[in-house]
Amino acid sequence: NAGVTQTPKFRVLKTGQSMTLLCAQDMNHEYMYWYRQDPGMGLRLIHYSVGEGTTAKGEVPDGYNVSRLKKQNFLLGLESAAPSQTSVYFCASSSIIRDFSYNEQFFGPGTRLTVL
Amino acid sequence: AQSVTQLDSQVPVFEEAPVELRCNYSSSVSVYLFWYVQYPNQGLQLLLKYLSGSTLVKGINGFEAEFNKSQTSFHLRKPSVHISDTAEYFCAVSSTSNDYKLSFGAGTTVTVRA
């Protein structure tokens, strides 16, 4: 099992360019998440998905769009990159919650994005 | 909504010394609590979790944490650290309802010196 993988690992963009980050998981998890990590701020949730074809906004969704066309993939798009989006992006996935059990999230290795 | 405060941003410690990382949370509902570890240039790994029951929880690599409801704290401890424990540590909270989102603290960087 590869777990959660992210593509690419590094990327440099110019302001105004667009790009898509790909997250893939092979654990058959229903839930998937995109976070950004900035120094001194921990991880903040951008968007998440509770199943194929459904997405929802997290804490900091502005400037990002997502799609979950296949259960195993969760794409994060930046339509017009800004320097404020320079960050490390982490994808995570978790299995469905039953009987109010806990929600352990498994994380990918991250994508380091720089916007000039 | 829940929030987490990690009281120390940097903790330098000598090898084989004990370490404690402090975490306080705020929530109007019951919570689950987690500690994650991030080694340099890697993703996050779950270190331990509190769901219910015993307030002292043990995790991987000799770490343990104690849930204190009255003080709304979930401090992480290890009695003797190794160089390999150098990492960033994140405290996280989620509600016990059908809310799938984790709220993370800002992180504590632990640097272990020989």
Side-chain angles (χ1 to χ4, degrees):
Chain A
N1 279 354
V4 180
T5 57
Q6 293 183 231
T7 309
K9 289 186 169 53
F10 304 93
R11 185 73 186 269
V12 178
L13 291 178
K14 294 181 179 179
T15 297
Q17 289 185 316
S18 63
M19 78 162 294
T20 301
L21 282 66
L22 171 63
C23 175
Q25 52 94 5
D26 61 2
M27 296 175 283
N28 202 34
H29 284 169
E30 289 79 10
Y31 301 137
M32 297 187 74
Y33 314 81
W34 274 108
Y35 294 90
R36 59 178 291 172
Q37 181 183 27
D38 301 293
M41 302 188 75
L43 276 76
R44 293 179 292 169
L45 183 65
I46 304 171
H47 285 281
Y48 64 103
S49 169
V50 300
E52 184 178 325
T54 68
T55 63
K57 294 180 179 180
E59 183 184 353
V60 288
D62 294 342
Y64 305 95
N65 57 74
V66 288
S67 64
R68 183 98 181 266
L69 299 179
K70 294 182 178 181
K71 184 178 184 179
Q72 64 268 35
N73 295 338
F74 194 30
L75 279 62
L76 178 71
L78 286 72
E79 291 184 350
S80 179
S84 60
Q85 294 178 304
T86 294
S87 187
V88 181
Y89 291 85
F90 286 99
C91 177
S93 70
S94 64
S95 58
I96 199 166
I97 296 175
R98 299 190 189 283
D99 300 327
F100 299 101
S101 181
Y102 72 97
N103 175 27
E104 178 177 349
Q105 295 185 18
F106 295 84
F107 285 81
T111 295
R112 188 172 296 274
L113 175 66
T114 301
V115 182
L116 303 175
Chain B
Q2 300 82 40
S3 65
V4 175
T5 302
Q6 291 184 242
L7 299 167
D8 308 290
S9 59
Q10 309 251 2
V11 174
V13 58
F14 286 106
E15 194 174 20
E16 297 183 9
V19 70
E20 177 180 79
L21 308 184
R22 297 178 294 167
C23 172
N24 286 99
Y25 69 92
S26 172
S27 178
S28 57
V29 298
S30 297
V31 296
Y32 297 135
L33 293 156
F34 307 83
W35 276 98
Y36 281 84
V37 59
Q38 183 182 29
Y39 298 107
N41 299 313
Q42 294 186 26
L44 277 71
Q45 300 175 33
L46 183 64
L47 205 52
L48 50 77
K49 58 188 180 288
Y50 171 79
L51 308 179
S52 64
S54 173
T55 56
L56 183 64
V57 292
K58 295 188 183 296
I60 60 172
N61 301 338
F63 283 93
E64 63 181 31
E66 186 156 19
F67 170 56
N68 187 319
K69 188 174 182 180
S70 62
Q71 297 187 4
T72 60
S73 67
F74 191 53
H75 300 334
L76 180 71
R77 302 184 183 95
K78 185 170 182 176
S80 176
V81 295
H82 302 289
I83 298 288
S84 59
D85 292 321
T86 294
E88 190 159 19
Y89 293 80
F90 293 95
C91 184
V93 63
S94 71
S95 79
T96 59
S97 65
N98 273 342
D99 180 333
Y100 317 119
K101 299 185 289 292
L102 285 172
S103 296
F104 285 86
T108 298
T109 300
V110 173
T111 304
V112 182
R113 306 170 185 169

